[in-house]
Amino acid sequence: MVPLSWYVVLGVLLFVIGAAGVLLRRNILVVLMSLELLLNSVNINFIAFGAFHDDFRGRIFAIFVIAITAAEVAIALGILVALVRNKATLKVDEVTMLKG
Amino acid sequence: MEQGFFLVFAAAAVITALIMVLTHNPVHSALALMACFLQISAIFVLLAAPLLAVIQIFVYVGAIMVLFVFVIMMIDVREAVLQRFVPGGSLPALVLLVLLGVEMLALVIMSDRFSVAAPATSRTAGNIRELGTTLFADYLLPFEVASVILLVALVGAIVLARKEAD
């Protein structure tokens, strides 16, 4: 039987790797993919705690997280396509069009 | 046996996640992330949640990553490949990350709340009928809100990605 703390440690590792991708990478596509990884590492925690406490509300929350993630990716990639059409860059630092 | 499977899947997930963050080419990042999601769905199977594992493969690997690959194909990524990986002045971010990781690991290791033994006979293991009843009875309002959010995202993505008519 795998102890609960192993799952939580795996979630921590994936969360830190995803946060590193968000903070250190400058490519918008990779930043978005790292956000997916962040949400997935939280899902692991939800399902692990739900399984170990014999409560399937963890799974229900994971389903909601997946649904909201799908919506978020669709909107984010739509914004990205519109952005690249207006200004041909993929670097986060160069997207300063809203600055007056 | 189960621990061995867990270690294999967890190691593969961490390695593919590292490849995703460290590689320069966004296409390689997308493929590594796809592999990482497959490992995570295997971990969901170990957690006796086969429904979530299938949803994970359908939604993440099947839909979201295909969307990413499509967008990568639409956008010229050659310019992005050539850029420097870690820009200057990222030291605060690195320190923040190390602090975050150390803090969370310390909390997990020093806490005694994670020593929960798994229930001997899992009452809800694989019981999708009970999951569906709870989802459509107790969580009906959040479910409807989530479907409205998906509809709004659908319309919003079409409006955002459409070419301006005028």
Side-chain angles (χ1 to χ4, degrees):
Chain A
M1 195 64 218
V2 185
L4 175 59
S5 56
W6 290 19
Y7 290 107
V8 182
V9 168
L10 174 65
V12 167
L13 287 179
L14 290 181
F15 192 89
V16 171
I17 293 172
V22 171
L23 290 177
L24 298 180
R25 291 301 301 259
R26 284 291 161 265
N27 188 329
I28 300 179
L29 278 164
V30 180
V31 169
L32 286 176
M33 289 185 215
S34 304
L35 278 176
E36 301 306 305
L37 191 61
L38 286 179
L39 289 162
N40 235 299
S41 70
V42 175
N43 262 353
I44 294 178
N45 278 3
F46 268 132
I47 297 176
F49 278 106
F52 276 81
H53 290 277
D54 204 11
D55 186 343
F56 49 60
R57 276 175 292 181
R59 288 183 217 171
I60 288 174
F61 273 94
I63 290 174
F64 283 127
V65 170
I66 289 175
I68 301 305
T69 307
E72 173 246 322
V73 168
I75 291 292
L77 291 179
I79 292 175
L80 180 62
V81 170
L83 174 78
V84 170
R85 186 171 294 142
N86 286 320
K87 180 182 170 111
T89 181
L90 273 180
K91 292 183 192 153
V92 183
D93 296 330
E94 290 177 6
V95 185
T96 53
M97 280 182 284
L98 279 182
K99 201 196 268 178
Chain B
M1 185 69 180
E2 212 182 330
Q3 293 189 347
F5 273 121
F6 175 82
L7 287 179
V8 168
F9 292 138
V14 170
I15 289 169
T16 47
L18 279 176
I19 292 173
M20 189 271 287
V21 171
L22 293 178
T23 188
H24 283 254
N25 194 331
V27 181
H28 297 170
S29 287
L31 292 178
L33 190 59
M34 230 182 250
C36 184
F37 284 160
L38 284 174
Q39 310 304 320
I40 291 175
S41 86
I43 284 178
F44 288 172
V45 172
L46 283 184
L47 280 166
L51 178 69
L52 261 298
V54 173
I55 290 178
Q56 168 95 2
I57 291 179
F58 281 179
V59 176
Y60 278 103
V61 183
I64 291 180
M65 293 319 295
V66 169
L67 204 60
F68 266 109
V69 173
F70 262 109
V71 171
I72 290 173
M73 286 197 299
M74 284 171 61
I75 295 169
D76 188 15
V77 295
R78 273 168 298 182
E79 172 238 5
V81 172
L82 294 174
Q83 70 192 348
R84 258 191 322 159
F85 167 50
V86 177
S90 66
L91 191 66
L94 269 176
V95 172
L96 198 69
L97 281 172
V98 172
L99 273 179
L100 181 76
V102 169
E103 182 188 3
M104 287 199 289
L105 279 179
L107 280 177
V108 172
I109 290 168
M110 288 161 72
S111 166
D112 55 348
R113 287 175 186 261
F114 297 105
S115 55
V116 190
T121 53
S122 195
R123 179 165 49 88
T124 56
N127 195 342
I128 296 171
R129 180 188 299 267
E130 220 172 327
L131 181 75
T133 312
T134 312
L135 184 60
F136 289 113
D138 299 344
Y139 291 88
L140 185 61
L141 181 66
F143 184 82
E144 295 291 339
V145 172
S147 47
V148 172
I149 287 175
L150 280 174
L151 179 67
V152 171
L154 182 72
V155 176
I158 293 173
V159 169
L160 281 170
R162 195 184 50 177
K163 271 202 173 72
E164 302 276 336
D166 44 18

